[in-house]
Amino acid sequence: MATTLFTNVRVLDASGAPPFNGEVLVCGERIAAVWPASADAVHRPPEAQGAGVVDGRGATLMPGLVEPHAHLSFLDLPRSIELGEIPPEEHTLATAANARRLLRAGFTSCLSAAAAKPRLDVAVRDAIEAGNLPGPRLLAAGPELTVTGGLGDVRLEHLYRENFAVVLDGASDLRRYTRQLCREGVDILKINISGDAGTPAAPSDKTVMTEAEVAAVCDVALAHGRRVAAHARNGAAVRLALRHGVEIIYHANLCDEAACDELEAQRERIFVAPTLGHTWTTLHEASAWGITTAMGQARGLDRELADGIRNMRELQRRGVRVLPGGDYGFAWNRNGTNARDIEHFVRLLGFSPMEAIVAATRLGGEIMGRPGDIGQIRAGFLADLLLVDGDPLADPGLLHQPRTPHRVFKAGVLQAL
Ligand SMILES: [Zn+2]
């Protein structure tokens, strides 16, 4: 079994405790021991004898990042209907390239919030697990399940068009397609319960999926042991999701008091990821693609962002797990820049840098369903590690704009990216 000894590193273990100068021993794919540095090497465990040494030269060693809202098959295009024009073969290769990009950016685990075609995530996940592709550990999703007129329905009456969603109406059609996705091996079912800004027939404050439709997807997911994630912006949509056991709530920015109460009541079971990145960049950085700040404001995005900031602060205060993940994969919010969300959490939500990093690592391990395995530097955990030059607590921006590329270790192995 290969052993690696990290010396001269500042260990940011993501327990929430302050970092310390220390050493970390990795045996095989797992962390074997972590200890504070001292002047002598007497206290090193015997397994450290003969280990390959990585001298961090004072760099920060932290757990690999987790992306809880990944869209590896979204190809940074300005218009989502362009996703529907890419054949599956080319689309698979491009999804694989994004998997490598996210790993290079420090993400060793990703939970998918939808793929643009049914088997893109599944095929890439399996190739990564087989060791045939570099990429993060991936929980695969299928396309977003939406209803006629809902987010992702881009059809026109006289034209066939598709993007990242499959349009289904009624419990029976949703049940059948959910079973099909389970058969094809997805881990995550994504349902668009509420509308969204920019979807004329279904704005963010509308709840367009019915109780019976949500129940149908959740029943099938439960039967197959899969998990459900919901696009739910307003309070009614959040409450509908929670009534049927949805575990991952995306956005929740227009939550009302009753929805906040219910999220708090279920906080041991559920996760919230507001996806600040996409809203922020659509408002402030999309003018090159024809979306000015004034246009974003006309869509109500400034109000949605302000409400979201207020609600996320409130949910964090109530002990709800609020995670980054900013809907990266669009022209102005590109895959590979995902760690910007950590900075958004600090700057917009008022999280401390430590709280934001813990949300992106330790809570990330929890949303991956592997709380004892992923997201901390502790004996027994997988050695998914990031060696960052500098101090991300002093400057969280280092995580997405490193002075030198991060060194990324997955299962104890330095990734050549
Ligand atoms: Zn998304």
Side-chain angles (χ1 to χ4, degrees):
M1 185 165 34
T3 55
T4 306
L5 177 64
F6 291 86
T7 64
N8 201 12
V9 289
R10 197 159 163 272
V11 181
L12 199 175
D13 64 13
S15 67
F20 56 92
N21 295 324
E23 296 186 335
V24 174
L25 181 68
V26 172
C27 294
E29 63 176 16
R30 289 186 185 269
I31 296 164
V34 185
W35 62 92
S38 68
D40 59 61
V42 168
H43 56 291
R44 278 184 182 159
E47 300 92 315
Q49 283 285 339
V53 172
V54 175
D55 182 348
R57 299 173 189 265
T60 300
L61 187 69
M62 58 181 284
L65 300 171
V66 179
E67 170 55 85
H69 190 113
H71 288 306
L72 297 182
S73 59
F74 288 18
L75 306 184
D76 302 342
L77 299 166
R79 296 165 69 234
S80 71
I81 56 166
E82 293 173 57
L83 290 169
E85 295 164 1
I86 306 168
E89 295 81 0
E90 283 84 349
H91 213 151
T92 308
L93 294 171
T95 304
N98 274 340
R100 177 192 283 259
R101 271 167 96 187
L102 260 83
L103 188 60
R104 190 191 301 131
F107 288 85
T108 48
S109 292
C110 289
L111 184 146
S112 180
K117 293 182 174 66
R119 299 196 67 260
L120 293 173
D121 276 354
V122 168
V124 167
R125 175 200 66 195
D126 291 350
I128 292 169
E129 275 179 21
N132 296 328
L133 271 182
R137 304 174 195 280
L138 177 62
L139 291 179
E144 304 190 12
L145 307 181
T146 198
V147 296
T148 294
L151 168 64
D153 179 6
V154 288
R155 299 169 304 172
L156 294 173
E157 202 54 44
H158 56 286
L159 277 181
Y160 177 79
R161 299 203 300 192
E162 57 181 64
N163 62 351
F164 50 69
V166 172
V167 185
L168 300 155
D169 291 296
S172 115
D173 279 5
L174 276 152
R175 195 177 294 115
R176 178 189 52 75
Y177 195 74
T178 303
R179 287 186 174 131
Q180 197 171 320
L181 289 178
C182 290
R183 182 191 72 200
E184 296 303 321
V186 304
D187 304 297
I188 305 288
L189 281 311
K190 168 78 177 288
I191 51 177
N192 292 346
I193 300 181
S194 81
D196 200 65
T199 304
S204 299
D205 61 351
K206 296 290 181 290
T207 304
V208 290
M209 197 169 264
T210 65
E211 188 100 35
E213 289 168 334
V214 173
V217 174
C218 290
D219 287 350
V220 173
L222 183 66
H224 286 265
R226 314 301 161 94
R227 298 159 73 193
V228 183
H231 170 97
R233 289 203 175 270
N234 64 68
V238 169
R239 282 182 274 120
L240 173 52
L242 294 177
R243 273 201 299 282
H244 294 281
V246 172
E247 187 188 340
I248 299 160
I249 307 290
Y250 290 129
H251 313 304
N253 52 315
L254 305 180
C255 251
D256 51 21
E257 186 67 20
C260 286
D261 289 346
E262 198 50 45
L263 287 164
E264 182 181 359
Q266 299 196 28
R267 67 185 180 188
E268 304 298 327
R269 188 184 73 76
I270 55 93
F271 301 88
V272 173
T275 74
L276 296 173
H278 186 261
T279 310
W280 174 263
T281 55
T282 305
L283 264 172
H284 299 290
E285 298 175 14
S287 57
W289 292 273
I291 305 172
T292 61
T293 298
M295 290 164 73
Q297 287 167 340
R299 286 187 195 174
L301 289 179
D302 53 342
R303 186 180 64 87
E304 287 213 23
L305 183 62
D307 286 356
I309 289 169
R310 198 188 61 247
N311 275 317
M312 292 312 123
R313 286 178 173 162
E314 174 65 11
L315 290 173
Q316 194 216 15
R317 191 187 66 73
R318 296 188 189 203
V320 174
R321 293 173 288 189
V322 178
L323 278 70
D327 237 333
Y328 294 86
F330 295 84
W332 51 89
N333 199 54
R334 303 172 83 83
N335 264 313
T337 64
N338 309 52
R340 272 192 89 181
D341 245 58
I342 295 168
E343 208 176 4
H344 290 318
F345 266 48
V346 174
R347 205 168 45 82
L348 299 175
L349 297 188
F351 275 45
S352 70
M354 179 65 91
E355 287 170 334
I357 288 172
V358 166
T361 52
R362 178 157 63 87
L363 299 189
E366 293 176 14
I367 203 172
M368 289 297 289
R370 302 177 71 169
D373 233 11
I374 290 174
Q376 293 186 64
I377 299 185
R378 272 173 65 180
F381 275 60
L382 286 165
D384 291 354
L385 301 167
L386 200 53
L387 203 47
V388 177
D389 276 329
D391 180 5
L393 292 173
D395 177 11
L398 277 178
L399 292 171
H400 70 91
Q401 283 189 315
R403 286 191 284 267
T404 57
H406 303 317
R407 279 165 283 175
V408 182
F409 297 80
K410 187 179 162 201
V413 178
L414 177 63
Q415 304 293 297
L417 298 164

